[in-house]
Amino acid sequence: MYSANINSGKIKALTQGEFEIQEVSLSKDHKTFFITSNKVSPHEQHFYHLPAKGGEMLQITSRQGGHEVTVSPDETKLAIRYSYTNKPWELYVMPNKAGAKMTQLTESTTDAFKSYKWIDSEIINFTARDGGAKVPATLYKPTEAKKNGAAVIFVHGAGYLQNVHRWWPGYFREYMFHNILVDNGYTVLAIDYRASKGYGRDWRTAIYRHMGGQDLDDQVDGAKYLIENQGVDKDRLGIYGGSYGGFITLMAMFNAPDTFKSGAALRSVTDWAHYNHGYTAPILNTPFEDPKAYKQSSPLYFAEGLKGNLLILHGMVDTNVHFQDVVRLSQRLIELKKENWELAVFPLESHGFVEASSWSDEYRRIFKLFQETLN
């Protein structure tokens, strides 16, 4: 965060360090900035005060987890939407000062929900093949008694999104599915691969001109971590994800076929030249200017590499990743005489599913794939 003198043009850094300033507002008396930052850890979000002229950031919230803060009109109190890894969002209130007590106002979960012991997953870091990068990931481990030796890697969507953190996930369905997988003996790893949110500029820009490059390497290096550190069988690894996660799943199945035996690609991009300009241009330039970037980043051109078991799932009326993407890939797989793949079509669904029956059918199919091919 910086201040700039509009008369002299002089710029002054008010904060510095290996963390992100994520939200900022100025107090009514113009003496204090109210800030949300991940200064404590990339995996937590807290509320801070910072003198308007610079100085020390004063941490106001203290519970481990995520805090979404709204300041009261008189700026004496905070309304806080707070959650933890295995505790969904609830509303709290507290005085706007460090060390004050947070008082819970809502209780949103049911008795049935609370009767299950949701996993308080572990956050780990593994070393990437480039030697310097420590890749963050969430690890879900079964008990030794249940452990079946197989593992599944989950790939989050959007590319620029964070899924390794200490608050209730936006991917709550996947979190619950991972609990089911663990109950059935699987080890699960969810990686904040290169380009993920929350880790600064260099992490974000590492995929420039090559989506499916370093971000795919991070999945393969995660698989290596599971084999070497979690006792996972190298021949029983699966991968799945939706949207950008579906794209990476396809790239993994085509370009790292000896690492992943099975993969489920949901609503996945197969050719970035057919995706929207606003998303792709800052990363890959344009197909006319930089055809190499598009070709090396698009699964359609690597389908011949498929060896394992591939399940493709897509909504027919998807307005984000259009259905043509999987139609073209399906034709390519037919031409290549690939046999070990299936396509599940959801006629009523767009990119984000709406019908509960679609969600349950989708995850039933994914679970069946892993049970039949990895177990």
Side-chain angles (χ1 to χ4, degrees):
M1 184 178 172
Y2 297 82
S3 66
N5 186 310
I6 60 172
N7 295 316
S8 68
K10 184 178 179 181
I11 297 173
K12 176 185 176 183
L14 300 181
T15 64
Q16 65 181 71
E18 292 189 354
F19 55 89
E20 294 187 349
I21 302 298
Q22 296 165 325
E23 292 184 16
V24 178
S25 63
L26 185 62
S27 64
K28 290 180 177 179
D29 63 10
H30 295 178
K31 292 181 179 179
T32 305
F33 285 113
F34 298 141
I35 291 173
T36 299
S37 174
N38 62 0
K39 184 178 180 181
V40 168
S41 160
H43 315 301
E44 295 185 44
Q45 289 180 333
H46 287 282
F47 185 72
Y48 295 83
H49 290 180
L50 175 71
K53 293 184 179 180
E56 291 295 317
M57 288 173 61
L58 176 65
Q59 185 177 336
I60 305 301
T61 55
S62 57
R63 286 196 189 183
Q64 189 178 35
H67 300 78
E68 297 178 358
V69 176
T70 301
V71 182
S72 66
D74 65 4
E75 299 183 340
T76 63
K77 295 183 177 66
L78 306 175
I80 302 172
R81 192 168 171 261
Y82 166 81
S83 71
Y84 181 67
T85 305
N86 57 358
K87 294 179 175 63
W89 297 97
E90 299 289 358
L91 182 62
Y92 293 74
V93 67
M94 70 176 280
N96 188 7
K97 60 183 180 181
K101 181 184 177 183
M102 265 173 52
T103 302
Q104 186 170 343
L105 300 181
T106 61
E107 184 72 37
S108 302
T109 53
T110 64
D111 290 340
F113 181 92
K114 286 181 277 194
S115 69
Y116 179 81
K117 189 176 180 180
W118 299 101
I119 295 171
D120 184 358
S121 50
E122 180 183 351
I123 292 178
I124 60 97
N125 289 273
F126 60 85
T127 303
R129 66 187 62 191
D130 54 25
K134 297 292 184 182
V135 183
T138 302
L139 178 66
Y140 302 78
K141 292 195 296 188
T143 62
E144 284 300 319
K146 288 185 176 180
K147 190 172 183 178
N148 65 7
V152 171
I153 289 178
F154 170 64
V155 190
H156 70 67
Y160 187 55
L161 183 150
Q162 184 177 6
N163 191 45
V164 178
H165 47 64
R166 282 291 174 211
W167 57 87
W168 182 251
Y171 282 104
F172 59 89
R173 295 179 188 87
E174 289 75 9
Y175 169 77
M176 295 184 203
F177 182 55
H178 299 160
N179 277 257
I180 292 173
L181 289 174
V182 168
D183 285 346
N184 283 272
Y186 295 88
T187 303
V188 180
L189 193 69
I191 301 169
D192 268 354
Y193 50 88
R194 241 63 71 94
S196 295
K197 183 179 179 181
Y199 307 96
R201 179 197 59 204
D202 293 348
W203 204 257
R204 171 58 180 148
T205 58
I207 61 167
Y208 179 62
R209 295 194 67 239
H210 193 183
M211 294 192 279
Q214 281 193 301
D215 44 2
L216 174 58
D217 289 345
D218 289 342
Q219 316 303 324
V220 177
D221 293 341
K224 182 182 177 184
Y225 163 82
L226 290 171
I227 295 163
E228 294 180 352
N229 296 275
Q230 298 299 327
V232 168
D233 185 337
K234 66 178 179 61
D235 297 318
R236 296 168 66 199
L237 276 156
I239 186 169
Y240 88 101
S243 196
Y244 197 95
F247 151 72
I248 287 289
T249 296
L250 292 175
M251 292 294 267
M253 295 302 293
F254 298 162
N255 290 336
D258 295 325
T259 298
F260 298 102
K261 186 176 181 182
S262 301
L266 297 66
R267 41 197 166 272
S268 47
V269 175
T270 69
D271 185 351
W272 288 108
H274 286 231
Y275 197 63
N276 77 70
H277 173 80
Y279 182 93
T280 55
I283 306 171
L284 301 179
N285 304 306
T286 69
F288 178 77
E289 294 170 319
D290 201 348
K292 180 183 177 182
Y294 280 79
K295 190 168 184 178
Q296 70 185 4
S297 300
S298 297
L300 188 69
Y301 299 103
F302 301 99
E304 67 274 8
L306 179 63
K307 292 182 182 177
N309 311 284
L310 175 61
L311 172 63
I312 304 168
L313 309 104
H314 212 105
M316 188 175 282
V317 287
D318 194 327
T319 56
N320 184 339
V321 181
H322 295 165
F323 190 62
Q324 67 177 12
D325 267 51
V326 290
V327 172
R328 293 177 70 220
L329 179 61
S330 297
Q331 181 59 33
R332 182 70 183 130
L333 292 169
I334 291 167
E335 292 168 358
L336 290 166
K337 298 182 172 61
K338 299 293 183 180
E339 298 179 5
N340 45 344
W341 65 279
E342 293 182 355
L343 171 63
V345 175
F346 297 84
L348 299 180
E349 299 294 355
S350 184
H351 198 62
F353 284 12
V354 174
E355 299 293 332
S357 57
S358 300
W359 282 110
S360 59
D361 183 84
E362 181 175 59
Y363 279 89
R364 177 187 60 79
R365 291 175 186 275
I366 298 168
F367 184 64
K368 182 181 179 183
L369 170 72
F370 295 148
Q371 285 287 83
E372 291 182 348
T373 61
L374 303 180
N375 216 338

